[in-house]
Amino acid sequence: MNQTKIKSFTLLNLGGPRNENEIEKFLLDLFLDPYVFDLPLWEPIRKLLAIFIAKTRTKKVKKTYASMGYGGGSPLFDETNKQLIGIKEVLDQMTGDNWSGNILMACGAPNIKDFVNKSNKPNKDNIHLALYPQFSRSTVLSTASIYQSLTGVCPMSNEGWIEPFGLDSRFINITSQFIYD
């Protein structure tokens, strides 16, 4: 019996509310992140201000998302899921292994904090890819910091963590091809 190996990959994104009910949680996660909402304030004051802003902006942000035509939320999760399905199909075909995929968000749901722990951190059979092509404090560093707080290890030094790819020649070539076409 030919048994294929099961491998997994996780696509990481900043996040967005999938529906109206997730907007306040998304805003709280966003503004509580010290890499996103970086102010020269004493940390407890910065957190209180972040909570205040998230709660007071929720009503206005709900109206904005409602006007976008995606059922009151962001299309980011659904679009990331389409990528996941395509990536899984290609990896299954390329490797002969059975790949499973996950989506996690730094802000909102499904949240990194609800999934990542020491037993499922990145490794050669559990690949984690942040969908941020270039390095930025508010995306890559923020996500790595969340991982480190949950696992005790910065994921950027782990096998299985894919580094930002904005300067990779393959990314530059495919981006250039899209522009050219």
Side-chain angles (χ1 to χ4, degrees), residues 25-172:
K25 169 71 169 124
F26 166 73
L27 291 174
L28 281 169
D29 287 345
L30 185 68
F31 288 117
L32 284 171
D33 187 327
Y35 294 102
V36 173
F37 191 59
D38 183 14
L39 295 175
L41 296 173
W42 184 42
E43 187 63 4
I45 298 295
R46 188 196 67 77
K47 285 182 175 181
L48 285 172
L49 183 58
I51 292 167
F52 173 77
I53 292 170
K55 289 190 176 288
T56 57
R57 299 251 330 139
T58 297
K59 186 175 180 180
K60 182 177 181 181
V61 172
K62 281 183 178 183
K63 289 180 184 176
T64 301
Y65 275 111
S67 73
M68 292 171 57
Y70 295 104
S74 165
L76 185 63
F77 180 85
D78 291 339
E79 293 300 312
T80 305
N81 194 54
K82 291 174 189 174
Q83 286 179 297
L84 180 143
I85 291 166
I87 291 168
K88 179 192 175 344
E89 287 175 6
V90 170
L91 287 172
D92 285 350
Q93 196 171 48
M94 284 175 61
T95 66
D97 293 325
N98 183 19
W99 287 82
S100 67
N102 299 298
I103 298 170
L104 295 176
M105 304 293 182
C107 301
N111 198 283
I112 293 169
K113 294 173 192 150
D114 299 329
F115 178 78
V116 173
N117 58 50
K118 290 181 181 183
S119 69
N120 62 11
K121 63 186 179 186
N123 63 56
K124 66 182 179 70
D125 294 324
N126 185 25
I127 308 300
H128 290 228
L129 170 62
L131 295 175
Y132 326 120
Q134 61 282 334
F135 182 86
S136 169
R137 279 177 44 92
S138 62
T139 54
V140 176
L141 188 57
S142 173
T143 300
S145 176
I146 295 168
Y147 267 75
Q148 186 167 356
S149 72
L150 298 169
T151 66
V153 177
C154 179
M156 295 169 79
S157 62
N158 281 3
E159 180 179 28
W161 176 270
I162 298 177
E163 294 289 329
F165 49 90
L167 298 177
D168 185 296
S169 62
R170 295 166 295 181
F171 180 76
I172 290 171

